[in-house]
CSV table of all heavy atoms in Angstrom, one decimal:
chain,number,residue,atom,x,y,z
A,14,LYS,N,-1.9,-8.3,-11.7
A,14,LYS,CA,-1.0,-8.0,-12.9
A,14,LYS,C,-0.4,-6.6,-12.8
A,14,LYS,O,0.7,-6.3,-13.2
A,14,LYS,CB,-1.7,-8.2,-14.2
A,14,LYS,CG,-1.9,-9.7,-14.5
A,14,LYS,CD,-2.7,-9.8,-15.9
A,14,LYS,CE,-2.9,-11.3,-16.1
A,14,LYS,NZ,-3.7,-11.6,-17.3
A,15,VAL,N,-1.1,-5.7,-12.3
A,15,VAL,CA,-0.7,-4.3,-12.2
A,15,VAL,C,0.1,-4.0,-10.9
A,15,VAL,O,1.1,-3.4,-10.9
A,15,VAL,CB,-1.9,-3.3,-12.3
A,15,VAL,CG1,-1.5,-1.9,-12.0
A,15,VAL,CG2,-2.7,-3.4,-13.6
A,16,ASN,N,-0.3,-4.7,-9.8
A,16,ASN,CA,0.1,-4.3,-8.5
A,16,ASN,C,1.0,-5.3,-7.7
A,16,ASN,O,1.4,-5.0,-6.6
A,16,ASN,CB,-1.0,-3.9,-7.7
A,16,ASN,CG,-1.8,-2.7,-8.2
A,16,ASN,OD1,-1.3,-1.6,-8.4
A,16,ASN,ND2,-3.1,-3.0,-8.7
A,17,ALA,N,1.3,-6.4,-8.3
A,17,ALA,CA,1.9,-7.5,-7.6
A,17,ALA,C,3.2,-7.1,-7.0
A,17,ALA,O,3.6,-7.6,-5.8
A,17,ALA,CB,2.3,-8.7,-8.5
A,18,GLU,N,4.0,-6.2,-7.6
A,18,GLU,CA,5.3,-5.7,-6.9
A,18,GLU,C,5.1,-5.1,-5.6
A,18,GLU,O,6.1,-5.1,-4.8
A,18,GLU,CB,6.1,-4.8,-7.9
A,18,GLU,CG,5.5,-3.4,-8.0
A,18,GLU,CD,6.4,-2.5,-8.8
A,18,GLU,OE1,6.3,-2.5,-10.1
A,18,GLU,OE2,7.3,-1.8,-8.3
A,19,ALA,N,4.0,-4.6,-5.3
A,19,ALA,CA,3.7,-3.9,-3.9
A,19,ALA,C,3.3,-4.9,-2.9
A,19,ALA,O,3.1,-4.5,-1.8
A,19,ALA,CB,2.7,-2.9,-4.1
A,20,ILE,N,3.0,-6.1,-3.4
A,20,ILE,CA,2.6,-7.2,-2.5
A,20,ILE,C,3.6,-8.3,-2.2
A,20,ILE,O,3.9,-8.5,-1.0
A,20,ILE,CB,1.2,-7.8,-3.0
A,20,ILE,CG1,0.2,-6.7,-3.3
A,20,ILE,CG2,0.7,-8.8,-2.1
A,20,ILE,CD1,-0.3,-5.9,-2.2
A,21,PHE,N,4.1,-8.8,-3.3
A,21,PHE,CA,5.1,-10.0,-3.0
A,21,PHE,C,6.4,-9.4,-2.7
A,21,PHE,O,6.9,-8.5,-3.4
A,21,PHE,CB,5.1,-10.8,-4.3
A,21,PHE,CG,3.8,-11.4,-4.7
A,21,PHE,CD1,3.0,-11.1,-5.6
A,21,PHE,CD2,3.4,-12.5,-3.8
A,21,PHE,CE1,1.8,-11.8,-6.0
A,21,PHE,CE2,2.1,-13.1,-4.1
A,21,PHE,CZ,1.4,-12.8,-5.1
A,22,GLY,N,7.1,-10.1,-1.7
A,22,GLY,CA,8.4,-9.7,-1.3
A,22,GLY,C,8.4,-8.4,-0.5
A,22,GLY,O,9.5,-7.9,-0.3
A,23,THR,N,7.3,-7.9,-0.1
A,23,THR,CA,7.3,-6.6,0.7
A,23,THR,C,7.0,-6.9,2.1
A,23,THR,O,6.6,-8.0,2.5
A,23,THR,CB,6.2,-5.6,0.1
A,23,THR,OG1,4.9,-6.2,0.3
A,23,THR,CG2,6.5,-5.3,-1.4
A,24,ARG,N,7.1,-5.8,2.9
A,24,ARG,CA,6.7,-6.0,4.3
A,24,ARG,C,6.0,-4.7,4.7
A,24,ARG,O,6.2,-3.7,4.2
A,24,ARG,CB,7.9,-6.2,5.3
A,24,ARG,CG,8.9,-5.1,5.2
A,24,ARG,CD,10.1,-5.3,6.2
A,24,ARG,NE,11.0,-4.3,6.0
A,24,ARG,CZ,11.1,-3.2,6.7
A,24,ARG,NH1,10.1,-2.9,7.5
A,24,ARG,NH2,12.0,-2.2,6.5
A,25,SER,N,5.0,-4.9,5.6
A,25,SER,CA,4.3,-3.7,6.1
A,25,SER,C,5.3,-2.8,6.9
A,25,SER,O,6.2,-3.2,7.5
A,25,SER,CB,3.2,-4.2,7.1
A,25,SER,OG,2.3,-4.9,6.4
A,26,ILE,N,5.0,-1.5,6.8
A,26,ILE,CA,5.9,-0.6,7.5
A,26,ILE,C,5.1,0.4,8.4
A,26,ILE,O,3.9,0.7,7.9
A,26,ILE,CB,6.9,0.2,6.6
A,26,ILE,CG1,6.2,1.0,5.6
A,26,ILE,CG2,7.9,-0.7,6.0
A,26,ILE,CD1,7.1,2.0,4.8
A,27,ALA,N,5.6,0.9,9.5
A,27,ALA,CA,4.8,1.9,10.2
A,27,ALA,C,4.7,3.2,9.4
A,27,ALA,O,5.6,3.5,8.6
A,27,ALA,CB,5.6,2.1,11.5
A,28,PRO,N,3.5,3.8,9.5
A,28,PRO,CA,2.5,3.6,10.5
A,28,PRO,C,1.5,2.5,10.1
A,28,PRO,O,0.4,2.5,10.7
A,28,PRO,CB,1.8,5.0,10.5
A,28,PRO,CG,2.0,5.4,9.1
A,28,PRO,CD,3.2,4.9,8.6
A,29,TYR,N,1.8,1.7,9.1
A,29,TYR,CA,1.0,0.6,8.6
A,29,TYR,C,-0.3,1.0,7.9
A,29,TYR,O,-0.6,0.7,6.8
A,29,TYR,CB,0.6,-0.4,9.7
A,29,TYR,CG,1.8,-0.8,10.5
A,29,TYR,CD1,2.1,-0.4,11.8
A,29,TYR,CD2,2.8,-1.7,9.9
A,29,TYR,CE1,3.2,-0.9,12.5
A,29,TYR,CE2,3.9,-2.0,10.6
A,29,TYR,CZ,4.1,-1.7,11.9
A,29,TYR,OH,5.2,-2.0,12.6
A,30,ARG,N,-1.0,2.0,8.6
A,30,ARG,CA,-2.3,2.5,7.9
A,30,ARG,C,-2.5,3.9,8.4
A,30,ARG,O,-2.3,4.3,9.5
A,30,ARG,CB,-3.4,1.6,8.4
A,30,ARG,CG,-4.8,1.8,7.8
A,30,ARG,CD,-4.9,1.1,6.5
A,30,ARG,NE,-6.1,1.4,5.8
A,30,ARG,CZ,-7.2,0.6,5.8
A,30,ARG,NH1,-7.2,-0.6,6.4
A,30,ARG,NH2,-8.3,1.0,5.2
A,31,GLU,N,-2.8,4.7,7.4
A,31,GLU,CA,-3.1,6.1,7.5
A,31,GLU,C,-4.4,6.4,6.8
A,31,GLU,O,-4.3,6.5,5.5
A,31,GLU,CB,-1.9,7.0,7.1
A,31,GLU,CG,-2.1,8.4,7.0
A,31,GLU,CD,-1.0,9.1,6.4
A,31,GLU,OE1,0.1,8.7,6.3
A,31,GLU,OE2,-1.3,10.2,5.8
A,32,ASP,N,-5.6,6.6,7.5
A,32,ASP,CA,-6.7,6.9,6.7
A,32,ASP,C,-7.0,5.9,5.6
A,32,ASP,O,-7.1,4.7,6.0
A,32,ASP,CB,-6.8,8.4,6.2
A,32,ASP,CG,-8.1,8.9,5.8
A,32,ASP,OD1,-9.1,8.3,6.4
A,32,ASP,OD2,-8.2,9.7,4.8
A,33,LYS,N,-6.9,6.2,4.4
A,33,LYS,CA,-7.2,5.3,3.2
A,33,LYS,C,-5.9,4.6,2.7
A,33,LYS,O,-6.0,4.1,1.7
A,33,LYS,CB,-8.0,5.9,2.2
A,33,LYS,CG,-9.4,6.4,2.6
A,33,LYS,CD,-10.1,7.0,1.4
A,33,LYS,CE,-11.4,7.3,1.8
A,33,LYS,NZ,-12.2,7.9,0.6
A,34,ILE,N,-4.8,4.9,3.3
A,34,ILE,CA,-3.5,4.4,2.8
A,34,ILE,C,-2.9,3.3,3.7
A,34,ILE,O,-2.9,3.5,4.9
A,34,ILE,CB,-2.5,5.6,2.8
A,34,ILE,CG1,-3.1,6.9,2.0
A,34,ILE,CG2,-1.1,5.2,2.2
A,34,ILE,CD1,-3.2,6.6,0.6
A,35,ALA,N,-2.4,2.2,3.1
A,35,ALA,CA,-1.7,1.1,3.8
A,35,ALA,C,-0.3,1.2,3.2
A,35,ALA,O,-0.1,1.4,1.9
A,35,ALA,CB,-2.4,-0.1,3.6
A,36,TYR,N,0.8,0.9,4.0
A,36,TYR,CA,2.2,1.1,3.5
A,36,TYR,C,2.8,-0.3,3.4
A,36,TYR,O,2.7,-1.1,4.4
A,36,TYR,CB,3.0,2.0,4.4
A,36,TYR,CG,2.4,3.5,4.3
A,36,TYR,CD1,1.6,4.0,5.3
A,36,TYR,CD2,2.9,4.3,3.3
A,36,TYR,CE1,1.3,5.3,5.2
A,36,TYR,CE2,2.5,5.6,3.2
A,36,TYR,CZ,1.6,6.1,4.2
A,36,TYR,OH,1.2,7.4,4.1
A,37,THR,N,3.6,-0.5,2.4
A,37,THR,CA,4.5,-1.7,2.3
A,37,THR,C,5.8,-1.1,1.8
A,37,THR,O,6.0,0.0,1.3
A,37,THR,CB,4.0,-2.8,1.4
A,37,THR,OG1,3.9,-2.3,0.1
A,37,THR,CG2,2.7,-3.3,1.9
A,38,LYS,N,6.9,-2.0,1.9
A,38,LYS,CA,8.2,-1.6,1.5
A,38,LYS,C,9.0,-2.7,1.0
A,38,LYS,O,8.8,-3.9,1.5
A,38,LYS,CB,9.0,-1.0,2.7
A,38,LYS,CG,10.3,-0.5,2.4
A,38,LYS,CD,11.0,0.2,3.5
A,38,LYS,CE,12.4,0.7,3.1
A,38,LYS,NZ,13.1,1.4,4.3
A,39,LYS,N,9.8,-2.6,-0.1
A,39,LYS,CA,10.7,-3.6,-0.5
A,39,LYS,C,12.1,-2.8,-0.9
A,39,LYS,O,12.1,-2.0,-1.7
A,39,LYS,CB,10.2,-4.2,-1.8
A,39,LYS,CG,11.1,-5.4,-2.3
A,39,LYS,CD,10.5,-6.0,-3.6
A,39,LYS,CE,9.1,-5.9,-3.9
A,39,LYS,NZ,8.7,-6.5,-5.2
A,40,GLY,N,13.1,-3.2,-0.2
A,40,GLY,CA,14.4,-2.5,-0.4
A,40,GLY,C,14.2,-1.0,-0.1
A,40,GLY,O,13.7,-0.7,1.0
A,41,ASN,N,14.6,-0.1,-1.0
A,41,ASN,CA,14.4,1.3,-0.8
A,41,ASN,C,13.1,1.9,-1.3
A,41,ASN,O,12.9,3.1,-1.4
A,41,ASN,CB,15.6,2.1,-1.4
A,41,ASN,CG,16.9,1.8,-0.7
A,41,ASN,OD1,16.9,1.6,0.6
A,41,ASN,ND2,17.9,1.8,-1.4
A,42,THR,N,12.3,1.0,-1.9
A,42,THR,CA,11.0,1.4,-2.5
A,42,THR,C,9.9,1.3,-1.4
A,42,THR,O,9.7,0.2,-0.8
A,42,THR,CB,10.7,0.6,-3.7
A,42,THR,OG1,11.8,0.7,-4.7
A,42,THR,CG2,9.4,1.0,-4.4
A,43,ILE,N,9.1,2.3,-1.4
A,43,ILE,CA,7.9,2.4,-0.5
A,43,ILE,C,6.7,2.4,-1.3
A,43,ILE,O,6.6,3.2,-2.4
A,43,ILE,CB,8.0,3.6,0.5
A,43,ILE,CG1,9.2,3.4,1.5
A,43,ILE,CG2,6.6,3.7,1.3
A,43,ILE,CD1,9.3,4.6,2.4
A,44,TYR,N,5.6,1.7,-1.0
A,44,TYR,CA,4.4,1.6,-1.6
A,44,TYR,C,3.2,2.2,-0.7
A,44,TYR,O,3.2,1.8,0.4
A,44,TYR,CB,4.0,0.3,-2.1
A,44,TYR,CG,5.0,-0.4,-3.0
A,44,TYR,CD1,6.1,-1.2,-2.5
A,44,TYR,CD2,5.0,-0.2,-4.4
A,44,TYR,CE1,7.0,-1.8,-3.4
A,44,TYR,CE2,6.0,-0.7,-5.2
A,44,TYR,CZ,7.0,-1.6,-4.7
A,44,TYR,OH,7.9,-2.1,-5.6
A,45,ALA,N,2.5,3.0,-1.2
A,45,ALA,CA,1.3,3.6,-0.5
A,45,ALA,C,0.1,3.1,-1.2
A,45,ALA,O,-0.1,3.5,-2.4
A,45,ALA,CB,1.4,5.1,-0.5
A,46,ILE,N,-0.6,2.2,-0.6
A,46,ILE,CA,-1.8,1.6,-1.3
A,46,ILE,C,-3.0,2.4,-0.9
A,46,ILE,O,-3.4,2.4,0.3
A,46,ILE,CB,-1.8,0.2,-0.8
A,46,ILE,CG1,-0.6,-0.7,-1.1
A,46,ILE,CG2,-3.1,-0.6,-1.4
A,46,ILE,CD1,-0.4,-2.0,-0.5
A,47,TYR,N,-3.7,2.9,-1.9
A,47,TYR,CA,-4.9,3.8,-1.6
A,47,TYR,C,-6.0,2.9,-1.7
A,47,TYR,O,-6.3,2.3,-2.7
A,47,TYR,CB,-5.0,4.9,-2.7
A,47,TYR,CG,-6.2,5.8,-2.4
A,47,TYR,CD1,-6.0,6.9,-1.6
A,47,TYR,CD2,-7.4,5.6,-3.0
A,47,TYR,CE1,-7.1,7.7,-1.3
A,47,TYR,CE2,-8.4,6.4,-2.8
A,47,TYR,CZ,-8.3,7.5,-1.9
A,47,TYR,OH,-9.4,8.3,-1.7
A,48,LEU,N,-6.7,2.8,-0.6
A,48,LEU,CA,-8.0,1.9,-0.5
A,48,LEU,C,-9.2,2.8,-0.5
A,48,LEU,O,-9.5,3.4,0.6
A,48,LEU,CB,-7.8,1.1,0.8
A,48,LEU,CG,-6.6,0.3,1.0
A,48,LEU,CD1,-6.4,-0.2,2.5
A,48,LEU,CD2,-6.6,-0.9,0.1
A,49,PRO,N,-9.8,2.8,-1.6
A,49,PRO,CA,-11.0,3.8,-1.7
A,49,PRO,C,-12.2,3.3,-0.9
A,49,PRO,O,-12.4,2.2,-0.5
A,49,PRO,CB,-11.3,3.7,-3.2
A,49,PRO,CG,-10.8,2.3,-3.7
A,49,PRO,CD,-9.7,2.0,-2.8
A,50,GLY,N,-13.0,4.3,-0.6
A,50,GLY,CA,-14.4,4.0,0.0
A,50,GLY,C,-15.2,3.2,-0.8
A,50,GLY,O,-14.9,3.0,-2.0
A,51,ASP,N,-16.3,2.7,-0.2
A,51,ASP,CA,-17.3,1.8,-1.0
A,51,ASP,C,-17.8,2.4,-2.3
A,51,ASP,O,-17.9,1.7,-3.3
A,51,ASP,CB,-18.4,1.5,0.0
A,51,ASP,CG,-18.0,0.5,1.1
A,51,ASP,OD1,-16.9,-0.2,0.9
A,51,ASP,OD2,-18.7,0.5,2.1
A,52,ASN,N,-18.1,3.7,-2.3
A,52,ASN,CA,-18.6,4.3,-3.5
A,52,ASN,C,-17.7,5.0,-4.3
A,52,ASN,O,-18.0,5.9,-5.3
A,52,ASN,CB,-19.8,5.3,-3.1
A,52,ASN,CG,-21.0,4.4,-2.5
A,52,ASN,OD1,-21.3,3.4,-2.8
A,52,ASN,ND2,-21.6,5.0,-1.5
A,53,GLU,N,-16.4,4.9,-4.1
A,53,GLU,CA,-15.3,5.6,-4.6
A,53,GLU,C,-14.8,4.7,-5.9
A,53,GLU,O,-14.1,3.7,-5.6
A,53,GLU,CB,-14.2,6.0,-3.7
A,53,GLU,CG,-13.3,7.1,-4.0
A,53,GLU,CD,-12.4,7.3,-2.8
A,53,GLU,OE1,-12.4,6.8,-1.8
A,53,GLU,OE2,-11.5,8.1,-3.2
A,54,THR,N,-15.0,5.2,-7.1
A,54,THR,CA,-14.7,4.4,-8.2
A,54,THR,C,-13.5,5.0,-9.0
A,54,THR,O,-12.9,4.5,-9.9
A,54,THR,CB,-15.8,4.1,-9.1
A,54,THR,OG1,-16.4,5.4,-9.6
A,54,THR,CG2,-16.9,3.2,-8.5
């Protein structure tokens, strides 16, 4: 409900993954998805 716009209708972009960040893009908008560690809340 919060994040669907960064998933649907997007495509992965280089460098695809950087440490804890994964990148997607839709049009001129870039999304950087922060993927926390196991104990990171």
Side-chain angles (χ1 to χ4, degrees):
K14 282 182 183 177
V15 173
N16 299 298
E18 74 174 82
I20 306 301
F21 294 113
T23 64
R24 61 180 175 86
S25 296
I26 59 168
Y29 309 108
R30 189 82 187 259
E31 169 189 338
D32 193 27
K33 294 181 177 182
I34 306 289
Y36 293 101
T37 63
K38 182 177 182 177
K39 183 183 336 180
N41 292 329
T42 302
I43 295 175
Y44 301 94
I46 304 166
Y47 183 88
L48 305 165
D51 291 339
N52 296 323
E53 198 173 357
T54 57

